[in-house]
Amino acid sequence: MHLRCINPDCAATFELHACLMACTKCGDLLEIILPPPSIEPDDLKRVWRDRKCSYDPRDISGVWRFREFLPNGYTEIVTMGEGNNAAVVGRKTAEWAGLRNLRFKHLGWNPTSCFKDLGMTVAVTEALFVGARVVACASTGNTAASLAAYAARAGMTAKVYLPAGCISINKLAQVLDFGAEVVQVEGSFDMAMDVILREASGGPYFVNSINPFRLEGQKMVMFEMLEQLGWLVPDYVIVPGGNLGNSSAFGKGVAELRAAGLIDRLPRMVIVQAEGANPLARMWRSGSTDFQPVEAPETAATAIRIGNPRSWKKALRAVQQSGGFVMDVTEEEIAEAKAVIGRDGIGCEPASATTLAALRRLSAQRMIDRDAVVVAILTGHALKDTDFILKSQLREPAMQGKSHA
Ligand code: F0G
């Protein structure tokens, strides 16, 4: 078990617990290389199912339940029973998108109401293992809230760097509630990342998604999803793209499952960005191999208001390996899709609604078959951004002010 540079021309390896966030030889991203499991695929599936009847905290977690595919050797894990998220069938949503077989895997139904918890349980467990006292991240809100909670559980100090005035008030409230130290950075998320990366060396333990331990936890979404589908591989997995950690993690998860013989093909992965924060979609459309950040990203889906996603190479690799693609959707499409997800009794935050918006367009343009088996990943809970809901739902001016009461 070790860290390896993703650049095939470098492929330098490092000790697993070396606390590295980039290759020290060429600066590229690192990933965790795990030995193949020694248990047969059918036995693994049975072990994982049997653990669902256990009260061991590792088995209650929808991440650690699949621990044959995780770094191991930890004496203490920091878990809040994350995962175990329903793959709920879309009804009005499916009809609206023109699909017959749509499910939403709702990662907003996690301890801090976002998918970040799935990665944070592993990253904060690793931070504890290496003796970190202070943990830090840059964030559009959700990573910060999740880190703040898991750090509090582990007795650590969380320091979060937020783009001033650009994150949902609900997420800021969570961060404060969990007792994190807030650093407001003038500018975008990308600038907050630059600031934290400058300060990171020798400082706090860093848990943005360039931390490969984060991705190990997040890849378990694919394990749980496939188990929920009886190990039948869906045709498509649709995922919102911001800093591109989640899509990278999903790609790693399905690749490992295929290599171990638990599935025989990969679902096609579709990454969806907001039109105003779409560097990977632009690159994909242009056919270029030259990645150009978006200088001033803009979208009301503030979670994915990111112009310079750090994990783009891993995400691109995942899309290419699966025969998928990258696209973007407009602000109007996001708002409309979000309202439809709400009306289906499911709800999600704006960034998550990019998935349904994309599906409606793809189905209208006959780029996706009506009968395709599709899983859309909802990344955050509706209550993560109540301002967005109130602004878009209460259009009547009289309904918006307190005077109406
Ligand atoms: N959806 C939500 C709700 C998010 O909070 C994020 C990212 C994404 C999608 C995109 O995921 O970055 O892995 O491609 N939020 C980060 C944050 C950037 O700081 O909370 P990604």
Side-chain angles (χ1 to χ4, degrees), residues 115-116 139-143 241-246 303-304 306 349 351 379:
F115 74 89
K116 306 288 181 179
S139 179
T140 55
N142 281 326
T143 304
N243 211 20
L244 299 172
N246 218 18
I304 52 173
I306 295 174
E349 71 165 285
T379 44

Side-chain angles (χ1 to χ4, degrees), residues 113-116 137-145 161-163 167 171 189 208-209 214-215 218 239-249 271-273 302-306 309 311 315 349-354 377-381 384:
S113 304
C114 183
F115 74 89
K116 306 288 181 179
C137 70
S139 179
T140 55
N142 281 326
T143 304
Y161 292 63
L162 308 175
I167 75 164
K171 297 174 190 178
F189 166 85
N208 277 99
S209 54
R214 275 270 310 275
L215 302 196
Q218 288 171 212
V239 56
N243 211 20
L244 299 172
N246 218 18
S247 38
S248 301
I271 299 179
V272 192
Q273 298 195 297
T302 53
I304 52 173
R305 192 167 172 269
I306 295 174
S311 291
E349 71 165 285
S352 311
T354 53
I377 307 294
L378 299 182
T379 44
H381 195 282
K384 279 286 192 177

